[in-house]
Amino acid sequence: MTPFVEGTIQMMDCMFGLSCQVLERTDSDEIEGTVFGMVPLGGEPNGCVTLSLGREDSRRLVAAMLQLPYEEVDDELIRDGVGEMANVVAGFAQTQVDPAVSGVEIGLPEVCVEAPSHSDTAEHCAVASDLGAVNLTFDVLRALMTAQGGQPR
Amino acid sequence: MKILVVDDSRAMRAIVHRTLRQAGFSNLEVVEAGNGKEALDKVHEEHPQLIICDLNMPVMNGLEFLQTLRADGDETPFGFVSSLGNTAKQQEAIGAGASFFITKPFRPETFEVVLGPFL
């Protein structure tokens, strides 16, 4: 999970000038996520990393990103902005993870409006700032569990 | 001086524009395009002196755009700003004629150093 957490911290610093702290989260901590950026992980193990942002947090962050007034940020801009955040985080993680060594290939992010399913073994954390938090879910076993009859949610 | 910023993300085009200002490049006219095909039209209409382009875009990606430009004999300075951080992609871009490759996330200082010779 570390390259994605580091990538999120870098992204918050470079794109917003925000310093952050990493907080623990559990699966039961609810996020009113309007937008999810999902980064597929190919190879072995495979799965995905999901960035999820609550509605108000995402709007504040995208407003800061684009230097627009909060009220001018609409849903389309939020999706676009969160997609870019996922792009940047995935790009940073790519520079930290050598597929030849780790066996994991980081794919191109997708933006979704509904929460992607994840397994019981997924790990969670939040990278929190004054403007809002980017929540990360790291799920490397999803495909394996599905193949073995597991119950991804 | 006129710069063409090419990215399918409006958010990222705005960030590049803002970062150019933060890097101290204030007297710039910035024109935008959302993919390589649109960018080719902008090159013919606007004649930019520098092109800053994303790699992954729909319709025509950044590499195809650069290759088309160079095949047409257009030697406008061209560089990529992309989240694709792997060196193979960067080498491919430089081999196709790109003058620089900036990886996201970036800081104004990076723009200042990398773009300074062109602006």
Side-chain angles (χ1 to χ4, degrees), chain A residues 17-41:
Chain A
L18 293 169
S19 54
C20 296
Q21 58 182 137
V22 180
L23 305 175
E24 285 185 18
R25 272 191 57 237
T26 68
D27 196 17
S28 58
D29 294 337
E30 289 203 10
I31 304 160
E32 288 184 34
T34 54
V35 185
F36 301 85
M38 192 190 75
V39 183
L41 303 175

Side-chain angles (χ1 to χ4, degrees), chain A residues 96-118:
Chain A
Q96 308 296 306
V97 178
D98 182 351
V101 176
S102 66
V104 176
E105 290 185 11
I106 299 169
L108 292 175
E110 299 169 32
V111 176
C112 3
V113 290
E114 289 186 18
S117 61
H118 59 262

Side-chain angles (χ1 to χ4, degrees), chain B residues 66 70 75-78 80 92-100:
Chain B
L66 172 58
R70 295 297 186 249
E75 295 298 325
T76 306
F78 190 113
F80 286 105
E92 190 180 359
I94 299 299
S99 301
F100 57 85

Side-chain angles (χ1 to χ4, degrees), chain A residues 10-11 13-15 64-67 77 80-81 84 87-88 91 94-95 108, chain B residues 7 9-12 14-15 18 21-22 56 83-86 104-107:
Chain A
Q10 286 278 328
M11 183 266 294
D13 179 17
C14 292
M15 292 172 82
M65 177 196 279
L66 302 182
Q67 297 191 324
L77 270 180
D80 192 14
E84 268 311 318
N87 248 332
V88 170
Q94 270 183 347
T95 66
L108 292 175
Chain B
D7 199 307
S9 162
R10 180 182 158 196
M12 190 45 70
I15 291 166
R18 184 192 76 200
R21 285 198 310 272
Q22 290 172 330
N56 272 324
S83 56
L84 286 175
N86 65 64
K104 303 173 191 172
F106 44 74
R107 296 175 189 279

